[in-house]
Amino acid sequence: MDTAHLGGALLALVHSHRRMSADDPGSRRRSSVEVDFFSDDKTCREREPPPGSLRLDIKKEDLTINLLPAATRRSDDDDNNKISNELPGLQAELGRMNEENQRLRGMLAQVSSSYQALQMHLVALMQAQAQQPHRQAIAPPPRHSSILPSSNNDQEQQRQPSNSSTEVGSPRRSSSTGNKDDDLQQQAAPGWLQAAEGRQQQQEASMRKARVSVRARSEAPIIADGCQWRKYGQKMAKGNPCPRAYYRCTMANACPVRKQLVSTSGKLFDQLTDDWSTEDCMYQVQRCADDRSILITTYEGTHNHPLPPAAMAMASTTSAAASMLLSGSMPSADANSSSSFLQARAVLPSNGMATISASAPFPTVTLDLTHGPPAAAAATARPQFHHVPPLQPLPPPPLYNHNQSKFSGLHLSSFSTDGGGASSEPPPPIGVGIGGLADTVSAAAAAITADPNFTVALAAAITSIIGGQQQQQHGDGQANHNNVTSSSNNTATSNNTNSETQ
DNA sequence: CGCCTTTGACCGGCGC
DNA sequence: GCGCCGGTCAAAGGCG
Ligand SMILES: [Zn+2]
């Protein structure tokens, strides 16, 4: 069901994209949804045109031509009344369709553009690394010496043949840690392969550290993203009553992608409330009002196998985000941790709110979609504006004791207003408050801030994925957010913002 | 029968 | 050194 829904959403996206590209040479205003609407109507009336080859503008003109003479003809009162009655409704619907189509188009343009940018970024990184494979002088991170990651598609494939055999055959305890294991294998490997694996391993190590977590408000226990996952573990988080589940991609034999899924649901809270005092209940209620049915899905790694189109959205975005974050945040982590905090804010035409955050130990891109009503990306057009006040992305859970020691990195949170209006034109709204940032920031901030579409693209894509299943959108009135506004240059407040690893 | 979930155990890292 | 904690493994069982 979830997969079906996701596939449907993505197919819809692709479909709209195709139509958009088809009618792009024509007028830009027409919307794909509008096409369908009018095509239906017109086939009822005239049915002359072949549906595929028809352009939108032509259809629209046809319709208007059809409607207007009929209205002015006055030959038949019944027909006239009917038409005059129908006309406002149709026009209103047309307007809604237009709006939605524009939104969709904007989203898709953002997705594609950001994807292109990311790909270029990846290529640049690959080239840089190929040229300087041994130079790690760019502010080596404290924990692991990791180079800028290159294209991560084949990183695991090198390791896979050797590793899969040993992993399956040998008892696990002998080779406990992955790094150790790799080291041993490296020593046993021939020289040329050793060098290659060394590089691959470094990339892999760095890639494994990059994570992309998605917070979403969803009723479904898991968010189907098109991949097949097998659960391989479950742990009770320390401060969180809800356990954290560990999944592994099973579409390929040795796909390294892993996914953590922690849901903060109020189930256990309900059990607890009976015994607890009212104040505690208040706290619990508060917390659960914030966190109830919020899923935090953390992806890690890159698939080494072809993916179904449904999974491509999530996979590509996550891998791109990971690589981008890694490429940038490694140098920036040093600069930022010492001095100050970086923040960038952009008002973007989408309904989701995304937070890109890079923490020092685990560079993480966090997408917070808990504020995005599903109507933004779903097929149902909502003319209303959700005037959500600019809330901060994460509902800070004050009860949890985050032990995330330091949060050094950049913090790009994009607030988005409902794009139902005309704000979905791609060029203008992006990059509002971003320009000045790139100077003070190192390459990471530059990379991300230069392409703020990325956030929106992710948000849009994922909202489109998740969109259908969420029904409740409470006002989430907790104004307790101190993350962006007050989190400046303070590591303590940053804990709130980065609570995805609780 | 194969795949998946469950679940207890284990192991390395880290703080004390 | 010890214990906690997060992450992983793998045996056992369920499900189609
Ligand atoms: Zn995979």
Side-chain angles (χ1 to χ4, degrees), chain A residues 227 249 251 255 257 303-305 307:
Chain A
C227 269
C249 176
M251 295 201 68
C255 184
V257 176
H303 296 276
N304 58 355
H305 53 86
L307 288 168

Side-chain angles (χ1 to χ4, degrees), chain A residues 20-248:
Chain A
M20 266 161 37
S21 60
D23 76 294
D24 242 351
S27 98
R28 287 205 146 195
R29 303 277 173 88
R30 309 301 190 266
S31 69
S32 62
V33 184
E34 172 192 355
V35 179
D36 285 338
F37 173 67
F38 283 121
S39 69
D40 281 349
D41 194 289
K42 202 179 59 163
T43 47
C44 288
R45 291 175 177 271
E46 291 181 357
R47 83 177 52 216
E48 70 155 274
S53 66
L54 194 62
R55 274 195 187 176
L56 304 176
D57 42 7
I58 296 178
K59 284 181 187 171
K60 191 177 178 181
E61 289 171 3
D62 284 350
L63 182 84
T64 52
I65 288 173
N66 278 336
L67 281 181
L68 284 179
T72 53
R73 208 176 298 151
R74 287 195 174 275
S75 64
D76 193 351
D77 277 350
D78 290 337
D79 283 345
N80 186 18
N81 284 336
K82 274 184 188 173
I83 291 174
S84 59
N85 286 337
E86 286 177 359
L87 189 55
L90 289 177
Q91 280 178 349
E93 205 165 352
L94 168 64
R96 283 193 325 207
M97 299 287 187
N98 262 325
E99 288 176 2
E100 188 187 352
N101 188 18
Q102 281 188 4
R103 269 206 319 254
L104 286 174
R105 182 175 301 180
M107 279 166 45
L108 203 124
Q110 287 165 3
V111 168
S112 55
S113 69
S114 59
Y115 182 70
Q116 276 187 356
L118 285 173
Q119 262 191 339
M120 291 181 61
H121 192 68
L122 268 180
V123 170
L125 287 174
M126 282 175 60
Q127 289 177 357
Q129 183 185 354
Q131 287 175 3
Q132 316 167 353
H134 304 294
R135 176 170 158 260
Q136 312 175 5
I138 319 171
R143 311 178 127 263
H144 290 280
S145 65
S146 58
I147 309 189
L148 304 176
S150 75
S151 95
N152 31 39
N153 276 336
D154 46 359
Q155 58 180 1
E156 288 287 344
Q157 285 174 351
Q158 297 270 348
R159 170 191 170 178
Q160 170 180 347
S162 62
N163 205 8
S164 62
S165 61
T166 57
E167 250 182 9
V168 173
S170 69
R172 171 208 168 222
R173 302 306 171 200
S174 62
S175 67
S176 54
T177 306
N179 287 336
K180 262 188 205 164
D181 193 12
D182 287 345
D183 286 344
L184 290 178
Q185 287 178 9
Q186 259 189 31
Q187 289 176 3
W192 58 275
L193 205 149
Q194 181 175 347
E197 261 191 20
R199 226 171 41 201
Q200 297 285 340
Q201 173 198 351
Q202 276 180 343
Q203 295 176 17
E204 170 189 345
S206 58
M207 280 307 290
R208 269 196 70 102
K209 294 225 165 280
R211 296 179 174 180
V212 175
S213 68
V214 178
R215 302 173 123 253
R217 207 183 281 268
S218 172
E219 294 281 326
I222 61 171
I223 297 173
D225 45 9
C227 269
Q228 295 178 354
W229 302 95
R230 195 180 81 224
K231 191 176 191 175
Y232 68 92
Q234 178 170 345
K235 274 297 221 184
M236 294 292 294
K238 193 168 67 174
N240 197 346
C242 298
R244 167 182 305 185
Y246 301 90
Y247 292 87
R248 168 179 308 166

Side-chain angles (χ1 to χ4, degrees), chain A residues 198-477:
Chain A
R199 226 171 41 201
Q200 297 285 340
Q201 173 198 351
Q202 276 180 343
Q203 295 176 17
E204 170 189 345
S206 58
M207 280 307 290
R208 269 196 70 102
K209 294 225 165 280
R211 296 179 174 180
V212 175
S213 68
V214 178
R215 302 173 123 253
R217 207 183 281 268
S218 172
E219 294 281 326
I222 61 171
I223 297 173
D225 45 9
C227 269
Q228 295 178 354
W229 302 95
R230 195 180 81 224
K231 191 176 191 175
Y232 68 92
Q234 178 170 345
K235 274 297 221 184
M236 294 292 294
K238 193 168 67 174
N240 197 346
C242 298
R244 167 182 305 185
Y246 301 90
Y247 292 87
R248 168 179 308 166
C249 176
T250 59
M251 295 201 68
N253 210 1
C255 184
V257 176
R258 289 184 163 82
K259 152 174 129 173
Q260 298 179 17
L261 195 144
V262 52
S263 74
T264 61
S265 73
K267 197 195 302 179
L268 195 136
F269 150 69
D270 287 338
Q271 298 173 359
L272 289 178
T273 43
D274 296 333
D275 302 333
W276 286 23
S277 66
T278 53
E279 284 122 13
D280 288 338
C281 282
M282 288 276 292
Y283 280 127
Q284 289 291 315
V285 165
Q286 233 178 349
R287 189 187 68 188
C288 286
D290 279 345
D291 289 350
R292 185 181 50 174
S293 68
I294 285 183
L295 302 177
I296 303 165
T297 310
T298 304
Y299 297 89
E300 171 181 343
T302 308
H303 296 276
N304 58 355
H305 53 86
L307 288 168
M312 277 307 292
M314 187 70 78
S316 63
T317 47
T318 50
S319 68
S323 62
M324 166 185 276
L325 230 180
L326 272 177
S327 68
S329 73
M330 284 310 179
S332 77
D334 187 37
N336 288 334
S337 63
S338 60
S339 65
S340 71
F341 229 81
L342 302 177
Q343 303 176 18
R345 229 170 297 178
V347 179
L348 294 161
S350 145
N351 223 342
M353 188 169 324
T355 301
I356 294 180
S357 61
S359 63
F362 295 110
T364 303
V365 177
T366 303
L367 277 171
D368 196 332
L369 306 173
T370 58
H371 296 271
T380 65
R382 286 269 180 89
Q384 340 159 347
F385 280 75
H386 309 272
H387 228 285
V388 183
L391 295 176
Q392 268 59 36
L394 306 186
L399 298 182
Y400 296 162
N401 194 9
H402 310 286
N403 49 357
Q404 310 165 359
S405 54
K406 259 197 197 149
F407 180 92
S408 71
L410 69 167
H411 208 93
L412 189 145
S413 65
S414 68
F415 302 103
S416 31
T417 59
D418 192 347
S423 68
S424 61
E425 286 302 318
I430 300 162
V432 170
I434 290 172
L437 220 69
D439 313 325
T440 57
V441 191
S442 55
I448 293 184
T449 52
D451 190 15
N453 292 337
F454 172 73
T455 305
V456 184
L458 274 179
I462 292 168
T463 42
S464 72
I465 286 168
I466 305 165
Q469 353 177 351
Q470 336 167 317
Q471 285 110 3
Q472 92 281 11
Q473 64 248 17
H474 6 253
D476 50 26

